[in-house]
Amino acid sequence: MRPWWVAVALVVLLGSLLAGLLTGAADIPVPGVVLQAVDWLPFVSADHGLSPVEQGVLMELRLPRVLIAAVVGGLLAVAGAGYQGVFRNPLADPYLLGAAAGAGLTVTLAIVLIGGDAGAALVPPMAFGGAVGGVFLAYALGHTARRGGTATLVLAGVAVTSFLTSIQTFVQQLKVEELQRIYAWILGDIGGGWEDLWLVAPYAAFAAVAMLLHGRMLDVLSVGDDEAVSLGVRATRVRLAVLLAASLATAAAVAVSGLIAFVGIVVPHLVRRLAGGSYRVVLPLSLIGGAAFLVLADLVARTVLAPAELPIGVVTAFVGAPFFVFVLRVTRRVDT
């Protein structure tokens, strides 16, 4: 890990966070926002000169939004890098093992069957439980196969995703008038408040630390299972640990943001092309880069149709879909 890569990534992240705080319908003076950010630093005091209304907009609307975007983007990117390392597949995605389908089904159930304020309050925990449940079903199905391996697990994830998506479609038809709310969640929404950030924070911290601690192990696995075993690495145990951590990261992100695609593909590939393929480098830089990427994507979503707001999932798909095609063209061989 070259220190200047970390420095560049942190500068980009801080710049994107500041841009997110400066952008919005309310016109807040740039010096006031900068001084307020300085005032948040420990042992530092600065006179920002903002009015109570401006402080309220900054603290209650913009700050939690950019922080949620940063946390969700970082989790999805580091989870994508982890999945790609486990499956040795550059097209692996955080939603590969049924996390998205499980979350989509449980959120649909909350909106359709419960509805109202009670259903809206249950969306984050139901999404988290559904994402974890989808991954568990995929892993259990893949584990029952006679011949295990990463390819079997991927096929199990595809089967579980198809099955849960079909149930979700059926449930949607029970209450067609709620389709707009369901699709708004599916397209991604990070407009939550501090309560959503506190909800996801412990899971995000645990998953991120667990992923970063396995960077060296993923480097060893990349040379092949036989070589890894000869070096004293238990390949099955490492894969399971990384899968659990990546799935937890995905579930935590989905719980507060809905389904935001392509972050886990775009960011790790950019990091590999710029900084090399070692997972001791890819994982931390993906975490930082994913945070910056989603904050900037949210910035575009808020401004491109202002005063209306574009779903953030549309922005990431607009960037990610062409990038996915690019990866397909430049990848000569996909290991499974």
Side-chain angles (χ1 to χ4, degrees):
M1 173 77 73
R2 296 180 180 179
W4 67 276
W5 272 117
V6 179
V8 170
L10 289 176
V11 167
V12 173
L13 175 58
L14 291 176
S16 63
L17 291 174
L18 184 59
L21 292 176
L22 290 172
T23 304
D27 187 15
I28 302 178
V30 175
V33 175
V34 174
L35 290 174
Q36 175 66 84
V38 172
D39 191 53
W40 288 330
L41 298 174
F43 311 112
V44 177
S45 179
D47 184 13
H48 47 74
L50 297 179
S51 68
V53 174
E54 292 171 336
Q55 276 191 292
V57 170
L58 195 63
M59 291 294 297
E60 300 301 327
L61 296 177
R62 295 186 186 176
L63 182 60
R65 179 168 186 140
V66 297
L67 290 180
I68 290 175
V71 170
V72 170
L75 289 177
L76 293 176
V78 77
Y83 279 125
Q84 290 159 20
V86 167
F87 295 112
R88 295 202 294 269
N89 187 329
L91 303 179
D93 184 78
Y95 300 134
L96 185 67
L97 298 182
L105 174 59
T106 52
V107 168
T108 300
L109 290 172
I111 294 175
V112 171
L113 300 183
I114 301 175
D117 294 336
L122 287 175
V123 164
M126 295 272 296
F128 182 84
V132 173
V135 173
F136 176 79
L137 286 176
Y139 184 80
L141 180 60
H143 190 66
T144 58
R146 290 185 177 182
R147 297 183 61 184
T150 57
T152 302
L153 194 56
V154 170
L155 292 176
V158 172
V160 169
T161 296
S162 299
F163 177 69
L164 295 180
T165 302
S166 65
I167 299 177
Q168 179 188 1
T169 303
F170 171 76
V171 174
Q172 288 174 356
Q173 302 308 310
L174 300 178
K175 206 168 184 179
V176 180
E177 60 270 20
E178 297 288 359
L179 285 179
Q180 184 175 359
R181 288 182 60 195
I182 295 171
Y183 282 116
W185 183 86
I186 289 175
L187 290 175
D189 180 17
I190 55 172
W194 289 107
E195 61 279 3
D196 288 341
L197 187 62
W198 302 138
L199 172 69
V200 74
Y203 304 103
F206 179 83
V209 171
M211 293 290 294
L212 295 178
L213 290 177
H214 283 84
R216 186 178 69 85
M217 298 296 183
L218 287 175
D219 282 340
V220 176
L221 288 183
S222 65
V223 301
D225 287 1
D226 293 337
E227 290 81 356
V229 172
S230 68
L231 294 173
V233 175
R234 298 182 179 181
T236 302
R237 181 174 297 182
V238 171
R239 282 200 178 91
L240 178 59
V242 174
L243 282 176
L244 290 176
S247 300
L248 179 62
T250 303
V254 166
V256 296
S257 69
L259 307 181
I260 301 175
F262 293 108
V263 179
I265 293 179
V266 172
V267 176
H269 275 283
L270 288 177
V271 170
R272 285 192 190 92
R273 287 191 163 271
L274 293 174
S278 172
Y279 283 95
R280 285 175 290 181
V281 176
V282 171
L283 290 174
L285 290 185
S286 293
L287 183 66
I288 300 172
F293 174 79
L294 201 61
V295 171
L296 293 176
D298 180 55
L299 190 63
V300 173
R302 285 189 283 153
T303 56
V304 68
L305 294 179
E309 186 175 312
L310 193 66
I312 191 171
V314 174
V315 178
T316 59
F318 185 82
V319 175
F323 191 88
F324 189 86
V325 175
F326 168 75
V327 173
L328 282 176
R329 290 180 61 87
V330 301
T331 302
R332 296 182 179 180
R333 181 170 61 90
V334 176
D335 293 321
T336 56

